[in-house]
Amino acid sequence: GQQVMQIPQYQHVQEGEDFTTYCNSSTTLSNIQWYKQRPGGHPVFLIQLVKSGEVKKQKRLTFQFGEAKKNSSLHITATQTTDVGTYFCAGLLYGGSQGNLIFGKGTKLSVKP
Amino acid sequence: KAGVTQTPRYLIKTRGQQVTLSCSPISGHRSVSWYQQTPGQGLQFLFEYFSETQRNKGNFPGRFSGRQFSNSRSEMNVSTLELGDSALYLCASSLIGRGNSPLHFGNGTRLTVT
């Protein structure tokens, strides 16, 4: 079936370093959403990107949607220990009859203080 | 505004039994989706209900079923439990669903099948 691939699976960084996770789809997406799940918690919505080439910022987080609407990235500048968790992308297939979000497997971020 | 409420938080069942999980969405949200989360497979879509109708279904066997009531509350049922059904089951409500609006997840029900 259709998949949304997310890399890397794990990322260990020193506090203050930057972090990036990438999301790729073989099929054009209508939109892409990003979620964060803290250890022991549930996924929490971060942002939705809809337009080709869109870039959105939330404080130290920068989200991008590729020009072809097949890939996306989340970049965190100067990580903090509060950034620990798993980051998921979820894409909605363009023109798909299913109409459900397909989640990537997530990137688990650990931050060493 | 109250968040999405799932009950129970934890369940331990034996193979062959059945289980019913409950989800109360955010007030005003008519779409309720269910996901299964496991370490190996990640978040997998089970089904979505909107205004009491199932309008979307993932690739799960018929042992997994659900329903939605007129107040938008939803239940999920798993019959003839298997060991592989052990997982965190997450319910998410959204305003319009179909992947076009943000999902608001509940805390989940942790199901263990022994």
Side-chain angles (χ1 to χ4, degrees):
Chain A
Q2 303 291 346
Q3 284 193 357
V4 171
M5 306 302 293
Q6 194 173 349
I7 56 169
Q9 193 174 354
Y10 301 96
Q11 186 79 58
H12 310 282
V13 300
Q14 191 78 34
E15 189 173 22
E17 291 181 337
D18 291 357
F19 159 77
T20 304
T21 173
Y22 301 90
C23 203
N24 293 289
S25 169
S26 56
T27 310
T28 304
L29 301 171
S30 282
N31 71 55
I32 194 154
Q33 298 179 11
W34 285 90
Y35 293 80
K36 176 184 178 182
Q37 185 173 21
R38 287 201 163 98
H42 57 274
V44 174
F45 173 77
L46 294 175
I47 209 157
Q48 175 170 296
L49 304 172
V50 179
K51 298 177 185 175
S52 168
E54 190 169 14
V55 178
K56 286 189 177 179
K57 292 191 176 185
Q58 288 179 351
K59 297 183 182 177
R60 295 178 295 104
L61 278 61
T62 302
F63 303 85
Q64 292 188 321
F65 202 8
E67 294 289 340
K69 298 183 71 173
K70 289 184 177 182
N71 54 68
S72 180
S73 65
L74 157 59
H75 179 83
I76 302 178
T77 303
T79 55
Q80 300 174 358
T81 54
T82 52
D83 296 325
V84 164
T86 301
Y87 292 84
F88 294 96
C89 61
L92 178 65
L93 299 182
Y94 181 76
S97 59
Q98 287 296 303
N100 59 278
L101 289 167
I102 300 173
F103 278 80
K105 292 204 172 180
T107 295
K108 188 172 183 179
L109 172 65
S110 62
V111 179
K112 189 175 179 182
Chain B
K1 222 179 201 181
V4 177
T5 304
Q6 287 188 249
T7 56
R9 288 295 307 274
Y10 303 93
L11 265 177
I12 300 176
K13 291 285 186 179
T14 306
R15 270 182 303 175
Q17 288 185 315
Q18 75 163 19
V19 67
T20 300
L21 314 181
S22 179
C23 173
S24 293
I26 290 172
S27 177
H29 285 191
R30 293 163 66 188
S31 167
V32 174
S33 298
W34 288 88
Y35 288 83
Q36 181 194 66
Q37 186 174 33
T38 57
Q41 297 299 318
L43 277 156
Q44 292 195 291
F45 173 74
L46 281 155
F47 26 67
E48 181 199 1
Y49 286 86
F50 187 90
S51 293
E52 302 179 66
T53 301
Q54 185 186 88
R55 64 179 184 183
N56 214 340
K57 190 177 190 306
N59 295 323
F60 278 82
R63 299 185 297 107
F64 292 81
S65 63
R67 58 178 176 169
Q68 187 180 32
F69 302 95
S70 58
N71 61 358
S72 293
R73 191 177 71 85
S74 177
E75 286 183 349
M76 188 190 96
N77 184 276
V78 188
S79 63
T80 321
L81 284 166
E82 299 177 1
L83 294 178
D85 296 334
S86 294
L88 178 66
Y89 289 88
L90 291 161
C91 159
S93 76
S94 65
L95 208 53
I96 57 176
R98 282 197 175 272
N100 287 307
S101 55
L103 296 174
H104 299 265
F105 286 88
N107 287 325
T109 294
R110 173 78 59 186
L111 172 65
T112 302
V113 182
T114 61

